[in-house]
Amino acid sequence: MTLFSLAKRNIIGNFKNYLLYFLSMIFSVVIYHTFVSLRYSSEIEKNIESFQSMRSVFLQASIILIAFVAVFIWYSNAFFTKKRKKEVGMYSLLGLRKKTIGKMMFYENLLMGAGAVIAGVLLSTLLSKMFTMLLLRLLGTDVDVGFTLSLEAFGNTIFVFTCIILITSIQGYRLIYNFNLIELFQADKEGEPLPEVSMIGVIIGTILLVFGYWIAFQPVDSNGQILRNLLLIMGSIVTGTYLLFRTAIVYLLKKAKEHKSSYYNGINIIGTSHLLYRIKGNARMLTMIALLSALTLSAITIGTSQYYNFTTHAKQLEPFSYTYISKGDIEEEKIKEIIYEDKNHPVQAELTVPLLKVHTDPSDTDLPEYLEQLMAEFPEEDFINLISAKTFNQVSAALDRNEKVTLSGNEAAMIKPRYTHDSFSDYEGRTITLKLPEEEKQVRFTHLLEGRVLSWRYPDAYIVLSDELYSEMEKQIQPVAYKTYQVKDQKNTELTSNQLHQLGFDDLKLSTFYKVYKRGLESAGQDIFTLGFLGLVFLAATGCMIYFKQLTEAHSDKGRYEILRKIGVRKKEVLTTISKQSLFIFLLPLIVGISHNLMIVKVLLGINLIGGDISIPILTSIGFYIAIYLGYYILTVNTYYKIVNL
Amino acid sequence: MKMVVDVKSVKKVYGAKGNVFTALDGIDLSVMEGEFIGIMGPSGAGKSTLLNVIATIDQPTSGDIFIDGTSILTMNEDQLASFRRDKLGFLFQDYNLLDTLSVKENIVLPLALAKVNVKELERRVDDIADTFGIRPILEKYPYQISGGQKQRTAASRAIITNPRLLLADEPTGALDSKSATDLLESLKELNEHRQATVFMVTHDAFAASYCKRVLFIKDGKIFTEIVKGTSPRKEFFNKVLDVLSVLGGGTSDTV
Ligand SMILES: Nc1ncnc2c1ncn2[C@@H]1O[C@H](COP(=O)(O)OP(=O)(O)OP(=O)(O)O)[C@@H](O)[C@H]1O
Ligand SMILES: [Mg+2]
């Protein structure tokens, strides 16, 4: 019998043992290949304007996926190998040479890997059609997608998995060399000493977590700081979580054990001792699941928040449907004509917004912080835009906003700059000296307004003045007049918007709501897809991890529950204790994951990666996650119960 | 006297068609309250199987068993569990200790399941630990103790609830003669002072000589039975040896 056929027989003979490992490899191949196929998809390329930027997002995501897939396969491999140590020991005892055994393990893993890649690629070809359609729909394009096979994608997948499988195969080869016989035989010997409670671990873990969270709540200014903080947070959270799972749970369980009146009360003794018995092996898994859950949740939260908020963002970036600088040329007539010709989108409001561009005095010391920074950045430019209260109120009315302002004398109102977290207290009582050709005027901030008036451009500094003051200044500088239109159903003004942009009147700084909206839609769609995809993968992975782990435990618990039944434990009690134990295993990482997620969201808000109203996205993501987890939980308890009651 | 267990023409057949094995072949047996019955017979005769069906952890293929007058066929899963928990003590041939629990926890498990209060529970462990000399190993785990210590742990678990019916499958198999005698004495004490009915499977004629009645099983049938009556233990011991020499499969020992 050749080695190769021995390895083959091994696989067929112990199919059940192999199935789990095989399935997790297939799973990895499927997600990876599906994703890579999207990256190389010609269908998507044809239908998306910003395909290049999309590609880079996909590239980054696929790097994360490679890391994930590698860890996942490595994890399942370790799990699988552990269960086979005895078998390997047996071969050795039977007189097979180490080299022979090593080769056998190597071929075996290689064979399974090859099988998994083939199966995975086939499966994912079906899936990628579905995902392509989903992606295109999210991006607002509806097309029918056929089956396509991309050679590039195929090559990419093969390359990545050949590397991973080769590494795990080599690990398999070395197994027999890394342990001596007695260790191999004792691999699954029942009973391990109970882990000691290390108070130091609990303390360090807590400190690390508190530290990580504390950093998350610190304000950041520069990019360097952001990077440093992210690394610090990641390091302290990962280690902290692990230490806490490793130690605090043991501590809690031991405390539960010491509380005799509840420990020795019915089936509790079984649940607690089972959890304690396995905690060492479970700590790593729980950590991994808690962290993956946090990542998944954050991914989903970011995705949904972008999708949920992009219309609001677009409205802030581009308050009016169409905006341009009016210079009184004939060109303008052309624009006006096009806008009015669009009968599907009748004009609801047409407004002229006059605006004064001025500079501030460099020696001004009482500036609000934000303006001070702009001042330093643009020392030469007239970056301050002044509008009158009357104009502001007209804009509010035209855009159906409720915000109104009344100012008198040298009172001024700042329009809240985008991408800042400034509040009124940052401006209250501060003054700014406006430089006019004939004089300098000092105004005092008395309000902070939310409503945006014109298209967003950096530097973003709009100050509203009282009507008297404004008209006084108007005499000294020539205002720039913006012409703005608000039309009905502006989200669908693609045709008109394109027509206007094609006119090529660049000096009019023409901008349209539709263009901004569409760009937002594409990037939000892309984000929600990529993040959703990653989230789904992580979700499936965490679910599988718990599920598989619980099932293997169920198999090893079978004998224990049989004994319990023999001494008179009722089926109902068995179900109770299984539900409680599984709840513990599911709930802990979920709670920790949710809490980490909230912290991560806080960090992302701080660095403006997400913004707007995020309470609804957060709640939906968490709700969604809990619902899925509940499903996993019920499935696990059911299967567990069936296995031990066979 | 009340009849505790009534076994009526019980058959137990293992395996599916083509490859069947009859482990019990029509056993009839009535056990009165307070009896101390020994069961002997060659290995594979069906002794453990008989205990298992009486303990309701295995079902007879045909026939019926009445426990306190109720047929086990009419009892549902919960009633059977209650019976095992509240009335039965079972000392398994292969101990059936839980490896996730310490020796002490294994012993108190039946009490915990019955929700006996902690004080009472601790008191009983205390008693039993002294009786069986297992105090030093109370906090150890099954994988850390010897075979004989496991057997004593299993015995402690079986009798800690003061069961009304105690089934012991080769309770002295792994014990030295001192521990074996201690165990037998406590079974006797349970039987005599607490009116427990004891069933004991054994290969050891010395252990059998503690019984009031010994049944011999061969090939799934009751071969014969002998009763101690008023005869002294030594004489009864010799009688057991006589039957065993006819039957084959026993081990002999001197008293
Ligand atoms: N689950 C089973 N499936 C098939 N056959 C079984 C099963 N359990 C027991 N047997 C067979 O039934 C017969 C009786 O077994 P049992 O365990 O009752 O023997 P025993 O009298 O207790 O023997 P020993 O003294 O060795 O413990 C044996 O021949 C055994 O092979
Ligand atoms: Mg037996």
Side-chain angles (χ1 to χ4, degrees), chain B residues 2 7 10 17 34-35 37 52 61 87 91 94 108 112 118 144 150 159 178 188 200 208 212 222 230 248:
Chain B
K2 243 176 68 191
V7 179
V10 161
K17 52 185 147 187
E35 278 204 89
I37 299 182
N52 285 344
T61 315
K87 295 187 181 160
L91 205 176
D94 47 4
V108 301
V118 178
Q144 297 168 314
K150 277 185 198 157
I159 68 177
K178 162 82 173 63
K188 197 170 143 201
M200 177 174 71
K212 293 173 183 161
I222 295 183
T230 49

Side-chain angles (χ1 to χ4, degrees), chain B residues 12-15 21-24 41-52 58 93 169-170 201 203 217:
Chain B
K12 178 71 193 181
V13 181
Y14 283 116
F21 182 86
T22 308
L24 293 179
S43 179
K47 305 178 298 287
S48 297
T49 311
L50 179 62
L51 286 201
N52 285 344
D58 205 351
Q93 188 171 10
D169 200 343
E170 288 194 39
V201 171
H203 286 293
I217 296 187

Side-chain angles (χ1 to χ4, degrees), chain A residues 189-194 257 259-270 272-274 276-278 556-557 559-573 645, chain B residues 52 55 57 77-82 84-86 88 90 92 94-102 104-106 108-116 118 121-122 141 143-144 157:
Chain A
K189 193 175 161 172
E190 302 298 344
E192 260 182 86
L194 280 189
K257 211 170 156 170
H259 194 260
K260 293 205 164 122
S261 58
S262 70
Y263 183 60
Y264 288 137
N265 186 6
I267 197 82
N268 287 351
I269 181 172
I270 296 301
T272 314
S273 64
H274 272 188
L276 200 52
Y277 177 71
R278 298 218 166 88
S556 70
D557 272 352
R560 298 190 181 106
Y561 284 102
E562 214 172 283
I563 296 174
L564 287 172
R565 297 277 301 286
K566 280 183 186 169
I567 62 173
V569 173
R570 293 186 184 90
K571 282 189 171 175
K572 225 173 68 197
E573 290 170 309
N645 257 330
Chain B
N52 285 344
I57 58 185
E77 171 62 34
D78 266 8
Q79 287 169 314
L80 291 177
S82 302
R84 292 198 289 263
R85 169 185 296 185
D86 303 334
L88 183 72
F90 199 151
F92 299 91
D94 47 4
Y95 318 139
N96 277 340
L97 298 177
L98 285 166
D99 51 4
T100 53
L101 298 181
S102 69
K104 179 180 169 185
E105 288 164 350
N106 262 293
V108 301
L109 186 57
L111 297 179
L113 291 173
K115 311 205 168 175
V116 172
V118 178
L121 182 145
E122 298 277 7
Y141 282 78
Y143 76 99
Q144 297 168 314
R157 183 181 67 189

Side-chain angles (χ1 to χ4, degrees), chain A residues 49 152 200 239 278 441 458 494 500 531 535 563 578:
Chain A
E49 290 177 25
E152 275 168 302
I200 298 179
T239 7
R278 298 218 166 88
K441 264 267 185 279
Y458 193 72
E494 181 173 7
L500 291 174
L531 294 167
I563 296 174
I578 289 174

Side-chain angles (χ1 to χ4, degrees), chain A residues 375-537:
Chain A
M375 179 70 219
E377 204 174 332
F378 303 95
E380 302 299 327
E381 233 170 286
D382 289 339
F383 67 88
I384 293 172
N385 303 297
L386 302 174
I387 59 175
S388 69
K390 190 173 119 212
T391 315
F392 183 85
N393 291 338
Q394 277 173 347
V395 168
S396 270
L399 294 175
D400 272 339
R401 290 182 187 150
N402 295 323
E403 204 176 25
K404 270 197 157 29
V405 65
T406 23
L407 301 168
S408 61
N410 67 344
E411 286 177 347
M414 181 76 185
I415 295 181
K416 187 178 160 188
R418 255 184 80 76
Y419 307 113
T420 68
H421 295 291
D422 287 359
S423 63
F424 180 48
S425 61
D426 295 311
Y427 296 90
E428 190 175 14
R430 298 295 181 110
T431 58
I432 181 169
T433 313
L434 304 169
K435 251 185 151 169
L436 301 167
E438 294 165 21
E439 57 179 336
E440 288 192 349
K441 264 267 185 279
Q442 196 183 46
V443 296
R444 178 175 301 278
F445 290 104
T446 55
H447 296 78
L448 182 69
L449 297 167
E450 292 282 343
R452 318 267 325 156
V453 174
L454 292 172
S455 323
W456 178 83
R457 269 187 202 87
Y458 193 72
D460 176 18
Y462 287 87
I463 298 175
V464 184
L465 300 178
S466 67
D467 296 337
E468 314 92 82
L469 192 60
Y470 181 84
S471 45
E472 206 179 292
M473 290 186 178
E474 212 176 18
K475 287 174 193 142
Q476 300 181 33
I477 345 172
Q478 177 68 29
V480 184
Y482 278 88
K483 195 87 186 158
T484 59
Y485 295 86
Q486 186 64 7
V487 303
K488 206 176 152 197
D489 190 20
Q490 56 177 351
K491 283 181 192 172
N492 293 312
T493 50
E494 181 173 7
L495 282 177
T496 315
S497 164
N498 285 348
Q499 256 179 306
L500 291 174
H501 282 293
Q502 272 155 20
L503 290 174
F505 300 157
D506 287 341
D507 54 335
L508 297 190
K509 295 208 171 140
L510 176 90
S511 54
T512 63
F513 172 81
Y514 178 78
K515 192 150 186 186
V516 174
Y517 172 81
K518 172 75 180 170
R519 212 185 300 130
L521 176 69
E522 279 197 358
S523 85
Q526 191 176 309
D527 284 354
I528 199 173
F529 181 82
T530 322
L531 294 167
F533 189 91
L534 286 178
L536 221 64
V537 168

